[in-house]
Amino acid sequence: MIVLFFLLWLLLSGEVTLRVCVWGAVVSALLYCFCTKVLGYGWRYERRAVKKLGPGLRYLGYLIVEMLKAGLVVMKLVYTRGRNMKPLLVFYDSPVHTEGGRAVLANSITLTAGTITVETVDGRFCVHALDRSLAEGIEDCEFQRRLEKLEE
């Protein structure tokens, strides 16, 4: 965390001089002390974050690919003449246990074109899909499996 504070300091300062680096180190150390004392932040969070960095980046890459694929599918649905779309609501229980994981899942569903997470209460999701073809398999999607692995 202290390294991220220092890098942010350098990024915002716009120059790299000895004076800027010294002040950046001091301010970064003070911010880190503040985070540990007041906010309850500690080394165990950093270790966990470093362990999940790789799977988190893979999840982000997968999300971007799925967003692009869904966008192409929705374009095809919209621009095909004579296509009669049938929007629907899908209700299902998600195996993702943490609140953060559920929030990431809801946002991932919403970011993919053609689907919107309408509501999530205690792990029960309500998703609106633009067409039945976009809702197929949403109860057991790859997003959930990847988020379950991240929760472990």
Side-chain angles (χ1 to χ4, degrees), residues 18 27 133 143 151:
L18 180 62
V27 170
S133 64
F143 289 135
E151 284 183 339

Side-chain angles (χ1 to χ4, degrees):
M1 173 78 94
I2 196 167
V3 173
L4 291 176
F5 285 146
F6 183 72
L7 291 175
L8 182 63
W9 177 272
L10 289 178
L11 182 70
L12 294 176
S13 67
E15 61 182 354
V16 180
T17 62
L18 180 62
R19 184 177 59 109
V20 169
C21 290
V22 169
W23 276 107
V26 170
V27 170
S28 299
L30 290 173
L31 276 173
Y32 184 77
C33 289
F34 172 78
C35 288
T36 55
K37 299 288 186 203
V38 177
L39 301 177
Y41 185 81
W43 286 102
R44 63 181 179 267
Y45 297 114
E46 286 187 20
R47 271 188 268 126
R48 193 174 356 166
V50 168
K51 284 181 184 176
K52 293 186 179 189
L53 184 64
L57 290 175
R58 283 193 295 276
Y59 180 83
L60 183 63
Y62 178 76
L63 174 63
I64 290 170
V65 168
E66 288 300 312
M67 287 169 52
L68 293 172
K69 286 179 9 184
L72 293 173
V73 169
V74 169
M75 281 177 35
K76 182 180 174 186
L77 284 173
V78 170
Y79 290 120
T80 303
R81 289 182 188 235
R83 174 77 175 163
N84 192 8
M85 289 185 275
K86 304 232 188 279
L88 73 148
L89 289 175
V90 178
F91 294 89
Y92 71 96
D93 292 317
S94 172
V96 179
H97 301 294
T98 62
E99 289 297 319
R102 290 177 186 158
V104 170
L105 178 60
N107 288 327
S108 298
I109 290 170
T110 300
L111 284 172
T112 53
T115 54
I116 296 174
T117 304
V118 177
E119 182 179 36
T120 174
V121 177
D122 296 329
R124 183 146 179 87
F125 280 70
C126 174
V127 177
H128 177 272
L130 189 61
D131 190 45
R132 183 170 302 281
S133 64
L134 295 169
E136 290 175 2
I138 200 164
E139 299 89 2
D140 186 40
C141 62
E142 184 66 23
F143 289 135
Q144 291 182 124
R145 287 191 287 277
R146 289 178 183 244
L147 285 172
E148 282 182 293
K149 287 180 184 176
L150 279 172
E151 284 183 339
E152 294 174 354

